[in-house]
């Protein structure tokens, strides 16, 4: 049996990666230590495709043991959007027992200091990375993402976001030195002298409230930001997406134990159907930080009611793409078609409103009328998804019946430019797989507003005809200000139009992608380089990840003494 | 007439100071560019003692013109705690006119970038510094501070705190580069390439709600942190302490104008008696940041109601000193006597509860009983303040009749160990000058709790007899957790006691000063080195100044384009 890693071992092992991450967030150039190709796994202890599948299969229809204090029952009812029941039960916790137990190890975790906390977090991420193939299945069968997306977004990309949060947390904590000698001159008299010590101290327990669609990608930043700043972390997964975060909690507890810390610094709070424990937990006095991804209604509730905590929310928004003109018409159509299709539009970053001048646009293929642009886009989506195998690989499955109902209702909101089509998944015949719906709306008709000014989460886009690009910019501004946006896209060859759109995005704090025609899509962001959300419009009060995301998760206590 | 400074001139002039400030907040060694000796002023354009007094006198009984949009009347009724009416009136603003006008210049201010904003802020601070003698009188005759304290705390120390906030704001904004070239390898295919631009954007308008006792020292951090991060700033002074912040606003407007920006980026909101405009302003949609120093009740109200804004509060607390043992009994007594006396205890950092074991303490002068310690401290205060001229120089005047009433009522709370004495101020016979009151309380008597567990703001201290030092630590913990604390002090020669007190302060996030017996006092903090408050206990939700104080005042907007 190998000796367990000491903190010093972990520093030797992970400090170079931490340093690279610190450099990456400073330069924001491309960097990732987590390979995104599935075939890169299988050596040096990592699971390959087959081993990952076996590990996942072995979890099905079992009790997921975590050995947590206060376990008072077993709960679980996950059903894969692809059909099968997972049959896994998780410990249900008595918060009155679990929360005090989570506090017990905090002093040692605090005293370990920022560097040790960072490398313990990196060891957790390394073990998660080694099991990316296992996580891929867990994410696929809880979110409905197709396998490749579940592997990449749920694996290496999520791990990148977690590591990014650790890097920011570490950098923030070492901005103040551990000690300082202070000597103030007093003219001819002796100087005043003090010895000062500065210690980052945690706020308390962080609560991570997970979401259904991206349990790891949206869960890791808050989890690792809170843990790396000295807090214990309680993970409350979405009841339909427990497994990816339960695996995360188990790995974290193992690493904490092996490196000499209390495993209860990280714990799981699974819930009974309809129990709604998020509200109860989020307002407990022990909970001092909340990270949440989900509906605007509950995000607003948390911000208003979890007043004892720092609350970081990512809520709903309405994402806009302005189509003014392009020098690469086919590239634009292909890029947009992919963005609308990926994961059936079930991303907080998927474009919803495509604002197109009713008099048409200039392109490298000549002028195109509004109708032509919409028809060409519909054709591009059809072409992309014409082959069922490829469609299944891009679309994944609808995550829940609400999305399907919303999609079906949306067809009556206007003229259908592209009907949604059911795709059969031969491997999982119960999966509900749908291609995107595109509906034409007239942006000047007041009765269309209720459609395009509401989030219609799922594979639904509106091709909104506007009188001019200037009107499009005005509508963009209004949409972001009133509804929020995680992303904005725009296509234009006109410098003054580009400047106007940029100004609108700077004014409303929205993240803008311009003229994407290749292999980068408006709905994808890369850790260490792109910010996810801005924290400055109603879609989210935080960005992944910046200084503001970590700076309030700890406080600095100063002890000063005469020299 | 000299040419007006360009942004480039200001960079040349102030960049070295900014760099020194950045280094100081990194090392936290002693540093200040603002001399604290009154005689250091009078050359290179700064006002000396006489010129400062003349400048102040010239302001009395005049209209304080600011040329702000939306001025709909003139208000003012400041009466010096030393007696004289100031007779100054200030513009009263129609917020519906002023707030939109303040937004007009924000785009240019945002586009100027972090460095230009920083050096414009440094120019404002430089001009304030040159007029430190004028500010000293303004602070003295609004706060009641004695002249020397008004000069130092209201002048150079406040300027230090402002500069510190500018340094943090600048450092935070440049953590993300202005641009990045992102190139993601794609195996044998061409890499994905994007050009990315990152711009710090302001939240909107910051509101600074000033306090009566330290208008500049507590007002500058929020004002400069918001301005340096691109926000416009509306300053709402305490109705009894308008002048120091009105002078600040005027200087800021002059510097903004001269350096090519809109003066309305900084404006004053004076109010009619009883108008209570802070509530109205703090909840306006244009106000996205609030900085507040004052009562817990209104601070809590702001946190609960100004939900559209980031709210930074410094509220009330109950500060404790544990007296366990000392190797310098006379030094301890002298240090505590000074701390209790300075500005008649009207500091948020003044110790209130002195926890002393009822069986006495060990000292270098032999064991001392509880009664002896209290009597010796009373004698030390008497000795310090025995001379009326010295007493006036230390105590200043009571800031308002509430403090006097509270002091008078406190004498009946327990056995009086040191009675408060009225001191005559020959220059200002109407000034209400009082020496500190020390009341003995039994910490084990439940009826004493209501006294020592409430803030009794003013020259009132409680010598609380406790059964043991362990009980003192437990009471310290309870006091900080329930009531908050800006400062904690302790005297001990016992390493295990010291460790227990340190642990209590780390656990409750309270700033601790140990064994101060010389010329540094528990109620004083130095910018660039000491944190003021921790932001982690109920006394304040923010610390002056750290990353958390600046990081949420702006957001970063990313614009990415194909390369």
């Amino acid at each position: 049996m190998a000796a367990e890693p000491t903190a010093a071992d972990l520093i030797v092992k992970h400090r170079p990666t931490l340093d690279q991450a610190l450099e990456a967030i400073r330069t924001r150039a491309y960097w990732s230590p987590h390979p995104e190709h599935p075939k890169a796994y299988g050596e040096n202890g990592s699971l390959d495709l087959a081993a990952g599948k076996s590990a996942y299969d072995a979890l099905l229809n079992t009790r997921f043991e975590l050995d947590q204090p206060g376990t008072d029952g077993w709960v679980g009812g996950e059903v894969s959007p692809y059909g099968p029941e997972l049959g896994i039960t998780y410990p249900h916790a008595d918060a009155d027992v679990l929360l005090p137990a989570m506090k017990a190890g905090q002093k040692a975790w605090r005293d370990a200091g920022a560097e040790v906390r960072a490398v313990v977090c990196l060891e957790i991420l390394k073990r998660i990375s080694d099991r990316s193939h296992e996580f891929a299945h867990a994410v696929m069968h809880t979110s409905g993402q197709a396998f490749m997306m579940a592997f990449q977004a749920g694996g290496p990309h999520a791990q990148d976001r977690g590591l990014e949060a650790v890097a920011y947390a570490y950098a923030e904590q070492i901005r103040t030195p551990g000690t300082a000698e202070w000597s103030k001159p007093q003219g001819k008299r002796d100087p005043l002298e003090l010895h000062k010590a500065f210690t980052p101290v945690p706020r308390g327990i962080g609560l991570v409230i997970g979401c259904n669609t991206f349990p790891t990608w949206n869960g890791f930043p808050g989890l690792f930001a809170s843990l790396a700043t000295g807090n214990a972390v309680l993970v409350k997964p979405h009841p339909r997406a427990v497994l990816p975060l339960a695996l995360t909690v188990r790995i974290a507890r193992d690493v904490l134990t092996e490196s000499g810390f209390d495993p209860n610094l990280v714990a799981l709070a699974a819930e009974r159907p309809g129990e709604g424990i998020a509200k109860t937990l989020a307002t407990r006095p022990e909970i001092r930080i909340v990270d949440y991804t989900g509906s605007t209604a509950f995000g607003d509730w948390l911000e208003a009611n979890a007043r004892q905590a720092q609350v970081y929310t990512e809520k709903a928004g309405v994402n806009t793409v302005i189509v003014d003109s392009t020098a690469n018409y086919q590239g634009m159509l292909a890029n947009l078609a992919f963005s609308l299709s990926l994961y059936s539009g079930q991303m907080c970053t998927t474009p919803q409103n495509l604002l197109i001048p009713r008099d048409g646009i200039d392109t490298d293929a000549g002028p195109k009328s509004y109708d032509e642009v919409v028809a060409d886009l519909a054709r591009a989506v059809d072409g992309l998804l014409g082959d069922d195998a490829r469609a299944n690989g891009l679309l994944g499955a609808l995550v829940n019946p609400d999305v399907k109902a919303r999609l079906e209702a949306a067809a009556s909101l206007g003229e259908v430019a592209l009907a949604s089509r059911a795709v059969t998944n031969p491997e999982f015949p119960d999966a509900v797989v749908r291609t995107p719906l595109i509906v034409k709306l007239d942006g000047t008709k007041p009765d269309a507003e209720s459609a395009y000014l509401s989030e219609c989460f799922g594979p639904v886009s509106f091709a909104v005809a506007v009188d001019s690009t200037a009107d499009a910019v005005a509508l963009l501004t209004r949409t972001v200000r009133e509804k929020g946006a995680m992303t904005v896209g725009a296509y234009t060859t006109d410098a003054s139009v580009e400047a106007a759109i940029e100004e609108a995005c700077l004014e409303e704090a929205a993240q803008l992608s311009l003229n994407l025609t290749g292999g980068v899509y408006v709905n994808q962001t890369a850790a260490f380089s792109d910010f996810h959300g801005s924290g400055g419009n109603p879609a989210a009060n935080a960005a992944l990840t910046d200084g503001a995301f970590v700076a309030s998760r700890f406080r600095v206590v100063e002890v000063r003494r005469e020299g």
Side-chain angles (χ1 to χ4, degrees), chain A:
Chain A
M1 181 179 145
E4 290 173 352
T6 65
D9 294 337
L10 292 178
I11 291 171
V12 170
K13 181 175 178 185
H14 293 300
R15 182 77 219 196
T17 307
L18 179 61
D19 286 336
Q20 285 178 289
L22 291 167
E23 177 69 3
I25 60 175
R26 201 184 62 71
T27 66
R28 306 198 84 79
Y30 171 78
W31 181 71
S32 170
H34 303 117
E36 64 182 10
H37 199 296
K39 292 191 178 160
Y41 295 78
E43 296 188 351
N44 301 317
S46 67
L47 303 185
D48 66 10
L49 189 86
K53 179 69 165 60
S54 300
Y56 170 74
D57 287 342
L59 294 167
L60 300 174
N61 304 305
T62 65
R63 252 187 194 188
F64 196 98
E65 298 281 355
L66 280 172
D67 196 24
Q68 287 183 178
T71 298
D72 60 9
W74 294 83
V75 295
E78 290 159 294
V79 180
S80 170
Y82 290 93
E85 291 185 15
L86 272 59
I88 308 174
T89 56
Y90 304 91
H92 183 277
D94 176 348
D96 289 332
V97 177
L98 180 58
L99 290 173
M102 294 180 71
K103 299 278 286 180
Q106 272 194 317
K107 179 180 184 304
W109 188 235
R110 178 198 78 204
D111 290 345
E115 187 181 34
V116 168
R117 285 193 294 271
V119 295
V120 170
C121 287
L122 263 62
E123 177 67 16
I124 297 169
L125 284 164
K126 174 71 174 80
R127 298 211 195 168
I128 291 172
S129 170
D130 285 345
R131 291 163 66 175
S132 291
H133 273 290
E134 183 182 359
F135 273 84
H137 291 280
V139 170
M140 176 180 173
H141 287 291
T142 49
S143 71
Q145 291 174 26
F147 178 79
M148 183 57 94
M149 178 167 177
F151 180 85
Q152 292 187 336
H157 297 171
Q159 295 149 23
D160 283 349
R161 281 286 177 205
L163 175 54
E164 177 187 56
V166 173
Y168 269 98
Y170 174 75
E172 195 67 34
Q173 291 174 89
I174 63 161
R175 289 176 80 177
T176 301
T179 60
E181 303 303 325
W182 183 85
S183 178
K184 180 175 178 179
Q186 297 292 295
K188 291 170 194 162
R189 287 173 293 150
D190 286 343
L192 296 175
E193 296 193 328
L194 290 177
H195 174 77
K196 303 180 179 186
F198 301 94
T199 306
V201 301
R203 285 218 173 254
I205 300 176
L207 174 68
V208 173
I209 303 176
C211 67
N212 198 171
T213 47
F214 290 91
T216 55
W217 200 98
N218 278 95
F220 283 2
L223 192 169
F224 284 100
S226 283
L227 189 60
T229 48
N231 303 278
V233 180
L234 181 60
V235 179
K236 205 297 288 176
H238 192 284
R240 286 194 289 257
V242 182
L243 184 58
L245 290 174
L247 283 170
T248 304
V249 168
R250 178 185 275 171
I251 292 169
R253 293 173 63 86
D254 286 348
V255 171
L256 285 164
T257 302
E258 290 173 29
S259 47
F261 296 101
D262 188 334
N264 296 323
L265 288 166
V266 178
L268 186 76
E271 61 188 320
R272 300 192 185 91
E275 191 180 358
I277 59 171
K279 278 194 179 186
T280 320
L281 290 174
T283 50
R284 294 268 312 202
E286 300 94 335
I287 300 296
R288 300 298 307 280
I289 302 167
V290 175
D291 285 275
Y292 168 76
T293 310
S295 73
T296 295
F298 192 55
D300 288 348
W301 186 92
L302 286 169
E303 292 173 19
N305 290 281
R307 304 288 316 290
Q308 86 294 352
Q310 306 285 313
V311 178
Y312 303 88
T313 58
E314 182 186 322
K315 301 174 285 192
V318 174
N319 302 320
T320 297
V321 174
I322 292 180
V323 181
D324 168 77
S325 51
T326 179
N328 182 354
Y329 188 57
Q330 291 307 322
M332 176 183 88
L333 295 172
N335 190 282
L336 281 175
F338 188 94
S339 288
L340 300 183
S341 303
L342 185 64
Y343 187 26
S344 319
Q346 298 171 115
M347 299 173 73
C348 56
T349 50
T350 303
Q352 175 178 308
N353 295 341
L354 313 173
L355 309 188
I356 307 166
R358 70 178 73 251
D359 292 340
I361 67 170
D362 285 331
T363 81
D364 58 319
K368 300 287 176 184
S369 71
Y370 165 82
D371 285 335
E372 285 174 315
V373 173
V374 178
D376 289 342
L377 178 61
R379 245 188 309 274
V381 173
D382 259 346
L384 179 69
L385 304 175
D387 172 70
D388 272 7
R390 187 169 179 193
N392 274 303
L394 269 179
L395 294 167
L398 298 194
V399 64
N400 65 46
D402 292 348
V403 176
K404 179 163 173 278
R406 204 180 294 122
L407 167 64
E408 288 165 358
S412 63
L413 292 171
E415 181 191 340
V416 171
L418 176 66
S420 177
R421 174 172 75 85
V423 178
T424 303
N425 186 316
E427 189 181 356
F428 298 105
D430 292 339
V432 180
V433 183
R434 293 290 184 276
T435 65
L437 167 76
I438 303 179
V439 176
K440 288 181 173 180
L441 294 175
D442 186 334
T444 58
K445 292 258 175 71
D447 60 347
E449 262 192 36
S450 64
Y452 65 73
L453 279 182
S454 305
E455 189 196 43
C456 189
F457 186 80
V460 178
S461 295
F462 301 117
V464 182
V466 292
D467 284 346
S468 65
T469 298
D471 282 3
V473 176
L475 179 53
L476 166 67
T477 295
R478 182 179 163 207
T479 305
V480 180
R481 190 174 295 177
E482 294 180 9
K483 301 296 167 183
M486 294 303 291
T487 58
V488 175
Y491 292 89
T492 183
T493 57
D494 182 322
S496 67
V497 167
E498 184 172 313
I501 295 169
E502 275 197 74
E503 179 58 28
C505 289
L506 290 169
E507 185 65 25
E508 302 305 326
Q511 309 297 19
L512 173 63
S513 295
L514 271 168
N515 296 322
L516 298 185
T517 60
V520 178
Y521 304 94
V522 66
N523 38 344
Q524 295 179 324
T525 62
F528 308 109
S529 183
D530 294 320
F531 290 109
H532 174 73
S534 77
N537 70 56
N541 77 359
L544 301 179
T545 292
D546 59 9
F549 189 68
V550 297
S552 292
R553 292 177 194 261
F554 67 100
R555 305 278 69 209
V556 177
V557 172
E558 173 184 355
V559 179
R560 56 184 192 171
R561 308 170 157 79
E562 284 186 2

